[in-house]
Amino acid sequence: MSFLRLVISFCFISFSASAQKDYKLWLQYEKKINAKLVTNYLQDIQGIVAFGNSETLKIGLNELDLGLNNMLGNKISMKSKLEGDKNIIIGSKESLSLEIQKEIGNIDQINDEGFIIKSILIKNKKQIVITGKKDIGVLYGIYSFLRLVQSDKSIKNLNIADAPKTNIRILNHWDNLDRTVERGYAGFSLWNWQKLPDFIDQRYIDYARANASIGINGTVLTNVNANALILTPQYLEKVEALANVFRPYGIKVYLTARFSAPIEIGGLKTADPKDAEVMNWWKNKAAEIYKRIPDFGGFLVKANSEGQPGPQNYGRDHVDGANMLADAVAPFGGVIMWRAFVYSEHDANDRAKQAYAEFVPYDGKFKENVIVQVKNGAIDFQPREPFHPMFGAMPKTPLMIEFQITQEYLGFSTHLVFLPKLFQEVLASDTYQKGEGTTVAKVIDGTLNKTKLTGIAGVSNIGNDLNWTGHPFAQANWYGFGRLAWNPYLDAETIADEWLRCTFSNNENFVKPVAAMMIESREAVVNYMTPLGLHHIMDTGHHYGPGPWVSNLSRPEWNPVYYHKADKNGIGFDRSKTGTNATAQYAPEIEKTFDNLETCPENELLWFHHVSWDYKLKNGQTLWNGLALKYQEGVNQVAAMQNIWNKTHKYVDDERFKEVQMLLEIQYKEAKWWRDACLLYFQQYSEKELPLGVEKSTQSLDYFKSLKFPFAPGN
Ligand code: BDP
């Protein structure tokens, strides 16, 4: 081999090895070199014994084999029966011998998807048993066990019982049939409709595995702005193929239902939900789907929102529409996830009030198998929004929360923003629905109102990029979403720590600073984009970069000026009693806090109040100075993130290290762009100098206004 060829082949090998790390997500299973805690007990584990032979259990067995043997060096073998000590025993409780069952204890402390991991003694020999009521619980237990090993946690004297707190833990893919992804920043859709059903891409399997490893149990394959074609036999055959891949991983497939499908693909004249033919059409369609996919999850529906058809086109309402579809899937155990993301161009009222106004009167009117899907805030996935008031106001209706994992308004896949911090803030918000402590988490996990159907949805950030999510750290948002869907009470710090250890390294000198960087990253993006409660001032359409000046779009609420209302007197949207009175949609305790300028949390100030430029903030600064300093702080925070990352090279492979380094550089540039564009624009109204410590822009406002991005992704 020539020298050149040698160099080329070496480069190729090192590229692919490194790229595989990106691809492997949090399932790296790195070889353990010095992990005493783990090896103390694990090093002499002799075997894995599986009881049962379902596909799900086989997946679990293979995962243990792969994980443990990678981490501990090919020592552990599969055994066909229990012999010797120090084995890992896996199987559903009823598949285990009575002797083992007795040691497990009370299985009723967990639900059907839960698991128990316990160190037990059988005939005086030490064993670890991973069990559940069903094999899917066992699989979740196996991933949980592997996570302990991956993150160097002790596995001595284990006694863990864990179970998901919500029923539907689901990704919403906004994927179109042409493989473009609405608000997707990680390439094209994973679903290769053209090659399905005959070609099963390995990626489908890897996708299912990654989801199962964090407890995600549902996927909506298609965009909420739906295409009826997905419901035709030609496509259903392809959906069936995907469902078959996902099933053993405990993942159900759902589809978006275009409300006008009976007309578009059914040849009917109407899609009126009260029309007998329409009802029948949906019933038959459901039967057709369930014949192919017996465990089909159901439909997600965006109706009468942003131009999508819905029951209102026929003088009916959301209840009529949702209940008609609910009847169609009910015989098969399906659910309808009906979205509450509605606002109308014909309603001059504050957009933030409209979903509540429209849906709250329907409380208690939906069928049992309907769950209303509500975005985390009342506008639209902003860097910070107060929690959606609907969460405090519909005690008789199952509500599921919808988060956006893809970063439509938070820097796409170029900005490092750790979203679990945002998710946690919303979940921990107190609705005061039934007095103090009745948090959003308690509403959506059903504990507050004894709701049977519960769920959490996340708009996926996954595409066919090699690393799945575009930014290596955006993987943490997929991971964190799954962990919070499983347990909405987990904190972001724990999630960041787990993810870093499984994805990169257990070295404390790496984990500590990088976890701190992740935690800080959410506040950084708020500061350099929309501090103090500002919102929706991104450039319109694609939402890339700042556009606070945009005021020429046909619908008022599509214009950033609608949201910030900057003028000579000040800035902010008055949603208090003196304004639109949106605060009245919250429980009295919260209403009072938000309504009063003095008690309103400063990080949501301009969401609820129009505040004079000279208003004194808690730190003694005027509003103008405080705002400018926040923008600067955001930029400084990104610089600090760069500093932290630059010191991590010895813990991270070259490729991921450099990727993150380059991305942080873009983030830094864009943070400055945000600061400069916004401050120059608002300065026209405040007519004040920048305070000390805030860097001056080197460009003019006209320059920033002139920037155009006709091909920004995801639009
Ligand atoms: C907005 C997006 C738009 C979605 C819409 C939705 O800009 O692309 O279709 O939400 O959630 O955030 O339906």
Side-chain angles (χ1 to χ4, degrees):
M1 199 186 283
S2 74
F3 178 69
L4 187 67
R5 283 189 77 180
L6 198 77
V7 170
I8 290 172
S9 65
F10 175 76
C11 287
F12 181 73
I13 290 166
S14 67
F15 166 77
S16 55
S18 208
Q20 274 174 27
K21 285 191 187 259
D22 248 355
Y23 187 82
K24 278 169 35 183
L25 298 163
W26 46 88
L27 301 166
Q28 302 281 329
Y29 301 141
E30 287 283 341
K31 192 165 171 53
K32 296 278 161 198
I33 305 162
N34 236 334
K36 280 205 205 99
L37 267 180
V38 174
T39 46
N40 266 353
Y41 183 78
L42 262 187
Q43 66 189 351
D44 24 56
I45 280 197
Q46 300 162 343
I48 308 168
V49 198
F51 291 93
N53 55 9
S54 70
E55 283 305 306
T56 304
L57 205 68
K58 277 187 210 149
I59 291 166
L61 187 61
N62 286 338
E63 196 72 33
L64 268 180
D65 181 26
L66 174 83
L68 293 180
N69 282 323
N70 273 359
M71 288 189 281
L72 306 167
N74 300 320
K75 281 189 192 143
I76 297 162
S77 59
M78 321 271 195
K79 288 184 180 171
S80 55
K81 59 177 200 265
L82 188 56
E83 51 191 11
D85 61 356
K86 298 204 173 164
N87 292 294
I88 300 177
I89 301 166
I90 61 170
S92 66
K93 184 181 176 194
E94 60 186 27
S95 71
L96 304 173
S97 70
L98 287 177
E99 199 183 6
I100 303 175
Q101 287 193 27
K102 250 185 29 218
E103 293 299 319
I104 296 167
N106 178 16
I107 196 94
D108 287 324
Q109 58 185 313
I110 56 169
N111 58 33
D112 275 1
E113 292 177 296
F115 59 83
I116 290 175
I117 308 176
K118 203 167 175 191
S119 307
I120 56 171
L121 280 179
I122 297 289
K123 301 199 172 67
N124 258 331
K125 300 198 177 218
K126 281 188 181 172
Q127 318 281 356
I128 295 175
V129 62
I130 304 177
T131 189
K133 286 184 173 165
K134 301 242 156 83
D135 283 350
I136 188 62
V138 181
L139 183 62
Y140 290 147
I142 288 169
Y143 281 115
S144 177
F145 177 76
L146 285 166
R147 188 180 305 135
L148 292 178
V149 182
Q150 278 215 89
S151 50
D152 283 0
K153 300 275 156 32
S154 169
I155 55 146
K156 273 187 165 176
N157 304 321
L158 289 170
N159 190 2
I160 300 170
D162 195 6
K165 295 192 193 298
T166 58
N167 316 132
I168 304 175
R169 306 177 298 279
I170 193 165
L171 289 178
N172 289 184
H173 287 267
W174 286 357
D175 294 15
N176 299 312
L177 299 184
D178 64 3
R179 295 192 77 179
T180 56
V181 180
E182 181 152 346
R183 311 309 176 183
Y185 313 104
F188 286 93
S189 168
L190 291 185
W191 326 131
N192 191 333
W193 297 112
Q194 207 262 320
K195 285 186 178 165
L196 279 163
D198 300 315
F199 185 83
I200 299 299
D201 194 324
Q202 175 64 31
R203 223 153 173 179
Y204 306 150
I205 300 163
D206 296 343
Y207 164 86
R209 169 177 173 245
N211 279 322
S213 77
I214 48 178
I216 287 175
N217 68 355
T219 179
V220 184
L221 299 176
T222 46
N223 193 352
V224 285
N225 297 319
N227 188 323
L229 283 181
I230 193 69
L231 303 176
T232 58
Q234 186 193 0
Y235 277 94
L236 288 175
E237 192 187 10
K238 300 167 193 281
V239 173
E240 179 185 351
L242 287 174
N244 290 342
V245 174
F246 300 160
R247 186 170 297 112
Y249 292 88
I251 296 166
K252 280 188 186 179
V253 158
Y254 299 71
L255 293 173
T256 45
R258 185 157 166 91
F259 206 78
S260 50
I263 304 173
E264 287 164 35
I265 58 167
L268 300 190
K269 292 223 163 53
T270 174
D272 181 349
K274 296 247 161 135
D275 181 281
E277 272 190 281
V278 171
M279 292 190 247
N280 236 340
W281 188 87
W282 282 108
K283 281 192 174 141
N284 290 335
K285 187 49 73 181
E288 180 191 343
I289 297 175
Y290 278 94
K291 198 163 169 223
R292 290 180 179 277
I293 310 168
D295 57 352
F296 179 68
F299 295 123
L300 169 66
V301 190
K302 172 177 178 177
N304 294 120
S305 159
E306 297 184 330
Q308 293 298 303
Q312 291 172 354
N313 299 33
Y314 307 95
R316 314 293 182 191
D317 62 25
H318 289 287
V319 177
D320 300 327
N323 286 352
M324 181 273 294
L325 288 175
D327 283 341
V329 295
F332 312 99
V335 304
I336 300 300
M337 299 174 290
W338 191 268
R339 291 177 92 228
F341 178 65
V342 295
Y343 60 100
S344 159
E345 67 267 45
H346 307 299
D347 189 340
N349 212 332
D350 180 359
R351 169 174 167 187
K353 289 169 65 182
Q354 294 184 24
Y356 177 106
E358 197 162 338
F359 273 81
V360 170
Y362 301 142
D363 190 24
K365 301 209 166 120
F366 291 99
K367 298 254 159 132
E368 247 188 2
N369 57 332
V370 175
I371 185 162
V372 175
Q373 182 166 312
V374 185
K375 287 191 182 181
N376 62 270
I379 297 288
D380 197 11
F381 300 136
Q382 297 301 297
R384 170 168 282 121
E385 289 191 48
F387 73 87
H388 203 305
M390 280 178 69
F391 290 115
M394 296 187 73
K396 287 181 275 180
T397 306
L399 300 180
M400 69 193 287
I401 197 164
E402 176 177 341
F403 288 117
Q404 195 181 45
I405 314 173
T406 193
Q407 292 168 233
E408 174 181 355
Y409 296 98
L410 290 92
F412 294 5
S413 61
T414 25
H415 292 207
L416 191 165
V417 182
F418 184 54
L419 295 176
K421 193 75 188 154
L422 183 167
F423 302 160
Q424 186 197 352
E425 181 177 288
V426 179
L427 291 165
S429 295
D430 202 337
T431 68
Y432 278 86
Q433 188 184 120
K434 296 196 169 146
E436 198 179 339
T438 50
T439 57
V440 173
K442 286 191 182 158
V443 175
I444 58 118
D445 79 356
T447 48
L448 187 64
N449 298 312
K450 309 274 166 291
T451 332
K452 276 202 220 102
L453 197 56
T454 59
I456 301 196
V459 179
S460 154
N461 62 347
I462 301 163
N464 70 350
D465 272 10
L466 208 58
N467 69 1
W468 302 87
T469 54
H471 197 306
F473 274 75
Q475 296 177 354
N477 294 334
W478 175 9
Y479 179 88
F481 166 76
R483 300 287 289 132
L484 279 166
W486 178 278
N487 179 1
Y489 303 92
L490 273 181
D491 62 85
E493 283 76 7
T494 307
I495 297 170
D497 181 271
E498 276 179 15
W499 179 78
L500 282 170
R501 289 173 188 278
C502 296
T503 307
F504 287 106
S505 163
N506 275 299
N507 193 306
E508 299 296 333
N509 297 329
F510 172 81
V511 175
K512 277 220 176 102
V514 181
M517 169 185 94
M518 290 166 76
I519 295 299
E520 180 94 356
S521 64
R522 188 305 183 90
E523 210 55 43
V525 75
V526 170
N527 288 337
Y528 64 72
M529 285 189 184
T530 52
L532 300 175
L534 284 176
H535 50 286
H536 222 306
I537 56 173
M538 296 73 193
D539 202 356
T540 44
H542 49 63
H543 299 147
Y544 173 59
W549 45 81
V550 178
S551 62
N552 59 354
L553 300 172
S554 57
R555 290 177 61 164
E557 78 289 355
W558 282 352
N559 291 300
V561 294
Y562 171 92
Y563 297 97
H564 64 68
K565 300 198 189 311
D567 57 23
K568 298 266 183 243
N569 301 323
I571 181 171
F573 197 130
D574 187 0
R575 295 193 166 103
S576 74
K577 273 203 236 24
T578 55
T580 66
N581 205 21
T583 46
Q585 294 183 336
Y586 290 95
E589 293 86 342
I590 309 277
E591 176 189 355
K592 229 172 99 197
T593 318
F594 286 157
D595 209 65
N596 180 341
L597 191 57
E598 301 304 319
T599 55
C600 181
E602 270 186 359
N603 60 16
E604 286 164 352
L605 193 63
L606 306 179
W607 186 283
F608 289 114
H609 298 276
H610 191 75
V611 184
S612 106
W613 296 111
D614 292 319
Y615 174 79
K616 279 265 165 2
L617 294 170
K618 305 235 156 54
N619 63 6
Q621 297 281 358
T622 63
L623 177 75
W624 167 251
N625 283 354
L627 186 74
L629 287 163
K630 279 281 171 203
Y631 272 107
Q632 181 65 47
E633 187 183 338
V635 172
N636 298 348
Q637 283 167 306
V638 180
M641 286 160 63
Q642 289 184 290
N643 275 333
I644 291 174
W645 187 254
N646 284 338
K647 293 188 193 117
T648 62
H649 200 168
K650 62 175 171 221
Y651 310 107
V652 180
D653 53 289
D654 272 356
E655 189 174 344
R656 288 187 296 177
F657 175 76
K658 283 189 193 132
E659 276 173 8
V660 175
Q661 202 176 37
M662 290 185 286
L663 288 163
L664 282 170
E665 191 54 39
I666 301 176
Q667 187 172 0
Y668 182 63
K669 264 199 234 163
E670 295 191 352
K672 288 198 290 188
W673 170 28
W674 267 94
R675 175 198 63 195
D676 294 346
C678 291
L679 289 178
L680 282 173
Y681 171 77
F682 292 134
Q683 198 170 28
Q684 305 176 101
Y685 300 101
S686 79
E687 296 177 324
K688 292 175 192 299
E689 290 296 312
L690 290 177
L692 217 67
V694 179
E695 278 169 62
K696 277 210 174 71
S697 175
T698 54
Q699 299 285 357
S700 68
L701 180 59
D702 282 339
Y703 164 77
F704 291 118
K705 284 185 176 175
S706 75
L707 299 175
K708 296 283 173 282
F709 306 94
F711 304 114
N715 193 18

